[in-house]
Amino acid sequence: MRQSTLSAQLAAQLTEQIASGVLKPGDRVTERALADQLRVSRSPVRGALALLREKGIVEDAEDGGARIAQSKSTLTVGETIAFDDDEQVYFRIADDRLNGALPERVTESELLRRYPVTRGKLGHILGRMVEEGWIERLPGNGWEFLPTLTSLEAYDDSFRFRLLIEPAAILEPRFQLNRSGLEHVRQQQMWLIDGAIYDVNDVTLFELNTGLHQAIAACSRNTFFIDSLKRIDRLRRLIDYKQMLDRDTAKGRCREHVHMVDLLCQGKRQEASAFMHHHLASLPKLKEQARTGSEKTPKQ
């Protein structure tokens, strides 16, 4: 089967969750639940499960769906399903779009001339970009890049907006703790802290961290907070890839995530809101340090 790059990426994320113990042998998994957790449609999840079935990591469940196979002794943290070649081209396209080297509308032929990739692999990459919400197909054979944050000024503005809505979401009158959901994202953060943060790629780290913030916002049950945060996360994705924090610093951020979840689970919403404000307010300075550092040491 020809699997999309996104399916391979999701399969890698699930493999890492199994290796870390977030998912355990015998756990039942469904396309719908995984799609909600990973914030994608069910189609790439179906492809990811097919990949894992081929490797014997996932097996059919008696009552339908799938479950984690009992024998996973060969799995280690950091084991992934390779998609590195696609990843390099993906980031080159992202960089060129942010730098203004790519116009708003492009054709596949133009992309094939510009990047060292086959038509099949380009199709996988474009499919992933569609799933992530920053490009869409035009009638015919063209593609159009969707609005995204392309200036550092807009990127900084997005942080100031998050500084308003995320602490406020925790104090919403209808806030209802989703304990199982928060415990799940807490496990993911602990897995990163325990060492996986040095193995996962930038995309996975971005998804896990935004997933935690979105899980907290979802407890507000205010669709305006929830949808606004999701939109900001889609828009800032590309710039975030260009200035990821160094992994030691990112590990400290993960510890803050865990502390925030612990405060919420203890019913300390006022403290959690104040800590969220502190957590977000300190990020622009760290990003600025990452930005200047990357300018001194360009990507190869």
Side-chain angles (χ1 to χ4, degrees):
M1 292 178 71
R2 294 177 61 188
Q3 301 293 339
S4 71
T5 297
L6 182 59
S7 290
Q9 181 189 356
L10 297 178
Q13 289 185 38
L14 292 172
T15 302
E16 290 167 343
Q17 290 188 27
I18 296 167
S20 68
V22 173
L23 288 173
K24 298 177 175 59
D27 282 355
R28 188 172 182 273
V29 291
T30 64
E31 290 178 10
R32 181 183 298 277
L34 290 174
D36 290 343
Q37 174 198 333
L38 300 168
R39 302 178 306 287
V40 296
S41 68
R42 294 174 67 174
S43 179
V45 169
R46 190 175 303 121
L49 290 175
L51 278 174
L52 296 178
R53 279 190 179 93
E54 291 177 5
K55 285 182 165 283
I57 297 171
V58 163
E59 60 190 12
D60 292 330
E62 294 177 359
D63 56 348
R67 66 184 176 196
I68 309 304
Q70 292 294 332
S71 57
K72 67 176 191 71
S73 58
T74 59
L75 290 182
T76 58
V77 172
E79 178 180 350
T80 59
I81 296 173
F83 54 99
D84 289 343
D85 291 343
D86 291 357
E87 196 83 345
Q88 291 179 11
V89 174
Y90 169 91
F91 279 113
R92 283 187 58 185
I93 294 175
D95 280 345
D96 287 347
R97 175 58 185 157
L98 284 174
N99 295 331
L102 282 175
E104 184 175 323
R105 295 188 175 189
V106 294
T107 65
E108 290 187 23
S109 296
E110 291 169 337
L111 293 173
L112 288 169
R113 286 194 296 269
R114 188 179 187 97
Y115 304 102
V117 65
T118 65
R119 185 174 294 275
K121 283 187 175 293
L122 178 62
H124 296 165
I125 294 168
L126 289 170
R128 172 181 171 184
M129 291 155 60
V130 168
E131 290 287 346
E132 293 180 351
W134 55 286
I135 200 170
E136 66 179 5
R137 183 186 288 276
L138 295 170
N141 67 344
W143 295 83
E144 181 176 35
F145 288 104
L146 297 177
T148 186
L149 300 183
T150 55
S151 74
L152 294 177
E153 182 180 31
Y155 184 69
D156 291 340
D157 285 347
S158 76
F159 276 114
R160 284 190 288 277
F161 185 66
R162 289 179 64 196
L163 198 59
L164 292 174
I165 67 169
E166 291 197 57
I170 295 174
L171 300 179
E172 275 293 281
R174 294 195 305 123
F175 186 96
Q176 183 174 321
L177 192 71
N178 179 357
R179 188 174 295 273
S180 62
L182 292 183
E183 286 177 349
H184 176 73
V185 294
R186 186 187 189 282
Q187 278 186 302
Q188 292 177 332
Q189 295 295 309
M190 288 302 303
W191 171 61
L192 292 171
I193 292 168
D194 289 341
I197 196 165
Y198 298 105
D199 299 319
V200 298
N201 58 42
D202 289 347
V203 177
T204 299
L205 184 57
F206 178 87
E207 295 293 347
L208 293 178
N209 288 339
T210 57
L212 179 134
H213 282 266
Q214 289 181 17
I216 293 174
C219 294
S220 73
R221 298 195 294 169
N222 184 319
T223 57
F224 292 96
F225 285 130
I226 297 167
D227 292 344
S228 294
L229 183 57
K230 287 181 178 179
R231 175 169 173 76
I232 287 174
D233 286 340
R234 285 196 299 271
L235 292 175
R236 71 184 177 90
R237 176 188 294 272
L238 299 188
I239 290 186
D240 238 57
Y241 290 165
K242 288 177 67 70
Q243 49 185 33
M244 296 293 286
L245 301 178
D246 69 84
R247 294 310 169 97
D248 287 335
T249 303
K251 187 175 180 178
R253 303 292 293 181
C254 292
R255 290 195 179 97
E256 293 183 5
H257 289 157
V258 169
H259 180 61
M260 203 149 20
V261 171
D262 288 345
L263 288 174
L264 288 170
C265 290
Q266 294 165 14
K268 300 177 180 179
R269 282 206 285 151
Q270 290 285 349
E271 291 182 40
S273 177
F275 191 77
M276 175 69 83
H277 188 280
H278 165 77
H279 176 75
L280 293 173
S282 63
L283 189 54
K285 182 177 180 180
L286 295 175
K287 288 290 186 178
E288 175 63 25
Q289 293 171 352
R291 185 185 307 163
T292 56
S294 63
E295 289 171 355
K296 294 176 182 176
T297 309
K299 289 183 179 179
Q300 298 298 317

